[in-house]
Amino acid sequence: MGLGVPIIVPVSKPSKGAAGKTGLWRVERPVVNEDKCIKCWLCWLYCPEDVISEGDNGFPKIDYTFCKGCGVCADVCPTKAIQMVREEE
Amino acid sequence: MGPEGTWEIITGNHAAAIAAKLARVKVVPAYPITPQTTIVEYIASFIDSGQMEAEYIRVESEHSAMAAAIGASAAGVRAFTATASQGLLLMSEVLHWAAGSRLPIGMAVVNRAVGPPWNIHVDHQDAMSQRDTGWLQVYVSSNQEVLDTILMMYKVAENPDVLLPFMVCLDGFVLSHTYMPVNIPRQEDVAEFLPEYSPSHWKLDPNDPITFGNLALPDEYQEMRWSMDLSMRRALDLIEDVSEEFFQKFGRYHGGATWKYKVEDSDYVIVTAGTMASEAEVAVDELRDEGMRVGLLKVRSFRPFPHRDMAEVLQDRRGVVVIDRSIAFSSGGPLGIEIRSSLYNRSGSPPIANYVTGLGGRDVTYRDIVAMAKDGIGRIMSDRLRRPYYWFKLKPEYERIELSEEVRM
């Protein structure tokens, strides 16, 4: 066997969306009601996918390309400012 | 050429520990289990007395032992551990992780029966049941072969075309606790033969972070499995090359993927592995004294499986007698199954009589092997080979049931 064997290793560099566009998995999307938000940033702290950041207007902004819609942010929000909304609606 | 090391009278387990020392392994995660325990005890004493420089990690289970070995190998150093039986089975999940991560970890597996019922004696079912984990597996028949094979297999496993972990399998008690003369090669000669491990495929480095074992979906997974399979087949050639190189340097040759004994003019060939193969050499001489042209093909490498050697040696013989020390329930002996697959699509493929025996340490002497060979040859010559496999050395009251017409295959 003189071809050389391609060793395909299951190794990847950390990168944004290493597992693909996981937003496609979502059934419900979190929507922020800025009237109720007190900017405590618990949603940012708890988000397991690191898709919440500070938007231009100073409120939490969700990256829907990668948000899987797990609902943890809505669950931890102390003022119920985040609602989970069915994707088709 | 020729052995320039020192001679010592030692056990198979002592030989395995000395091999790990000579290979300059850097990390040894250790968890005791009979009949392996003295391997990691010897290594502990080597480190304690300053004869060996390695990190010795006392882990809480075999699962953790292999996980620690993966971490060490991923960090770019040579890792070694040893286990047996239930311990190997507890490791099973992590065995797949080691192979899939392409880490050339070395392990001595002291073959022992699997429970229940508890039994500490030789049986190949522990390792053979792990045949699809992606580990290279070599079965040996002497304490010298234990030591030499561990050194050779690091060289095979670390080859940039292979990068898979390996286990060297030695029969519990028959080798692990039996004293034999062993030539211990000089450290400087081993260092020339087996340089430091320096991985180029990947390595954990805090300054260049990566993740490993991440998600690979249907678009990527299959090629990773193919790559492992291709590396395994490539290892088959390398086992031959490295065995030859070892012979040139140390003057000892135990065979490559197989070891052949008096096969050239044989009408019938016995195939087996481990210490049953050294008994089989004596059986071959006995059978030849009685005028039967019989030879022995010892399977050293079970993974990769040497299909080509099987075909070359066994094709056009009058018959083959395969002796297994493991049972694939309702299917046969693992060697018998594989050898049929080597020969089935070829013209001139001989009839195969497969025997399952010696389980849980039941003694298999050269006399038993003579008896199996005669039974198999008799069945082949008189057209009575009706079953895919036969049990040998059952107690008579059970053998009557086993051989009755009502028992179907």
Side-chain angles (χ1 to χ4, degrees):
Chain A
M1 215 185 291
L3 291 169
V5 177
I7 306 292
I8 310 175
V9 291
V11 166
S12 54
K13 288 274 179 187
S15 65
K16 188 169 179 175
K21 291 183 179 172
T22 48
L24 294 169
W25 303 5
R26 203 170 51 238
V27 179
E28 293 181 325
R29 66 165 56 205
V31 177
V32 182
N33 180 342
E34 293 173 359
D35 294 336
K36 287 186 178 177
C37 174
I38 56 170
K39 298 183 186 174
C40 68
W41 298 107
L42 277 177
C43 56
W44 166 82
L45 186 65
Y46 275 88
C47 174
E49 298 297 326
D50 193 26
V51 296
I52 300 179
S53 58
E54 187 179 358
D56 292 339
N57 60 0
F59 285 99
K61 181 185 166 208
I62 296 165
D63 183 345
Y64 291 114
T65 309
F66 300 109
C67 167
K68 294 173 179 168
C70 70
V72 167
C73 54
D75 198 60
V76 299
C77 178
T79 61
K80 306 274 179 252
I82 302 178
Q83 291 293 311
M84 298 303 290
V85 180
R86 295 284 296 181
E87 273 298 333
E88 65 266 41
E89 287 167 13
Chain B
M1 200 180 72
E4 291 178 22
T6 52
W7 286 95
E8 289 189 34
I9 296 175
I10 56 173
T11 62
N13 280 358
H14 199 166
I18 291 172
K21 174 161 73 79
L22 289 169
R24 285 117 44 241
V25 304
K26 293 288 189 296
V27 175
V28 181
Y31 193 83
I33 183 168
T34 302
Q36 169 282 120
T37 304
T38 56
I39 296 180
V40 293
E41 285 179 350
Y42 279 119
I43 291 175
S45 74
F46 295 156
I47 294 171
D48 182 55
S49 61
Q51 296 174 60
M52 183 174 173
E53 266 183 69
E55 195 73 34
Y56 191 86
I57 309 173
R58 289 173 297 162
V59 289
E60 74 276 27
S61 75
E62 288 88 355
H63 192 278
S64 304
M66 189 44 59
I70 287 173
S73 185
V77 299
R78 197 171 279 153
F80 178 84
T81 187
T83 192
S85 185
Q86 317 298 131
L88 182 69
L89 301 183
L90 184 58
M91 262 183 202
S92 185
E93 187 225 353
V94 214
L95 295 180
H96 286 272
W97 273 90
S101 306
R102 312 306 301 264
L103 299 170
I105 296 160
M107 176 157 68
V109 173
V110 184
N111 292 115
R112 161 186 155 180
V114 172
W118 288 118
N119 177 309
I120 55 172
H121 294 283
V122 57
D123 188 304
H124 292 159
Q125 189 150 28
D126 54 353
M128 287 193 169
S129 75
Q130 302 304 300
R131 65 184 188 181
D132 297 339
T133 53
W135 282 61
L136 311 166
Q137 284 194 5
V138 178
Y139 291 76
V140 300
S141 341
S142 74
N143 293 355
Q144 185 74 64
E145 196 181 352
V146 171
L147 188 149
D148 295 348
T149 305
I150 290 171
L151 300 179
M152 284 188 266
M153 288 310 291
Y154 268 117
K155 193 159 173 112
V156 172
E158 292 170 5
N159 184 288
D161 280 354
V162 179
L163 296 165
L164 289 169
F166 71 88
M167 42 183 100
V168 169
C169 303
L170 56 146
D171 285 355
F173 294 101
V174 184
L175 292 183
S176 68
H177 288 63
T178 302
Y179 285 79
M180 296 180 188
V182 174
N183 183 275
I184 318 290
R186 294 186 304 194
Q187 181 66 78
E188 57 268 33
D189 292 337
V190 174
E192 273 176 27
F193 172 77
L194 180 70
E196 290 291 318
Y197 174 51
S198 171
S200 56
H201 61 321
W202 76 277
K203 177 169 134 170
L204 289 177
D205 177 1
N207 296 317
D208 183 18
I210 50 171
T211 59
F212 82 100
N214 209 340
L215 191 69
L217 291 173
D219 186 44
E220 291 161 312
Y221 185 90
Q222 184 162 312
E223 280 71 22
M224 293 188 184
R225 283 303 188 254
W226 167 79
S227 165
M228 291 166 72
D229 184 49
L230 188 64
S231 287
M232 254 289 169
R233 286 177 277 160
R234 171 78 178 117
L236 208 49
D237 294 330
L238 286 164
I239 288 171
E240 305 297 335
D241 296 348
V242 169
S243 300
E244 180 60 33
E245 190 185 333
F246 190 90
F247 172 68
Q248 294 301 332
K249 185 145 191 73
F250 298 100
R252 286 190 295 274
Y253 182 72
H254 306 282
T258 60
W259 162 256
K260 304 177 188 80
Y261 183 69
K262 299 188 179 175
V263 288
E264 288 76 18
D265 65 341
S266 292
D267 296 326
Y268 295 91
V269 178
I270 299 169
V271 187
T272 188
T275 52
M276 289 197 305
S278 27
E279 287 294 310
E281 284 190 23
V282 183
V284 162
D285 291 343
E286 292 270 315
L287 289 159
R288 282 184 171 258
D289 284 348
E290 292 182 33
M292 304 165 86
R293 281 207 300 259
V294 178
L296 165 70
L297 183 61
K298 167 176 134 174
V299 178
R300 296 187 73 237
S301 174
F302 182 59
R303 286 289 179 278
F305 194 78
H307 284 301
R308 193 175 47 202
D309 291 37
M310 295 297 147
E312 281 172 9
V313 174
L314 304 179
Q315 210 168 356
D316 298 319
R317 305 285 172 190
R318 288 194 195 162
V320 180
V321 175
V322 183
I323 303 171
D324 270 286
R325 198 160 214 161
S326 181
I327 172 68
F329 295 110
S330 82
S331 180
L335 289 172
I337 297 164
E338 306 270 349
I339 291 164
R340 278 204 183 82
S341 136
S342 306
L343 297 173
Y344 186 76
N345 278 344
R346 292 174 179 262
S347 63
S349 68
I352 295 172
N354 184 198
Y355 293 89
V356 171
T357 192
L359 304 190
R362 183 158 298 181
D363 213 10
V364 181
T365 66
Y366 71 91
R367 287 192 189 88
D368 295 317
I369 293 172
V370 166
M372 279 182 272
K374 286 183 175 174
D375 186 74
I377 292 167
R379 285 180 186 281
I380 290 164
M381 288 175 73
S382 61
D383 201 22
R384 285 184 298 114
L385 188 62
R386 300 209 180 88
R387 292 183 173 192
Y389 64 97
Y390 295 88
W391 283 82
F392 181 80
K393 225 177 177 179
L394 283 175
K395 289 179 178 163
E397 61 268 38
Y398 298 112
E399 186 158 278
R400 270 201 302 280
I401 299 169
E402 168 62 23
L403 288 176
S404 68
E405 288 297 324
E406 290 80 28
V407 174
R408 291 163 192 271
M409 286 281 168

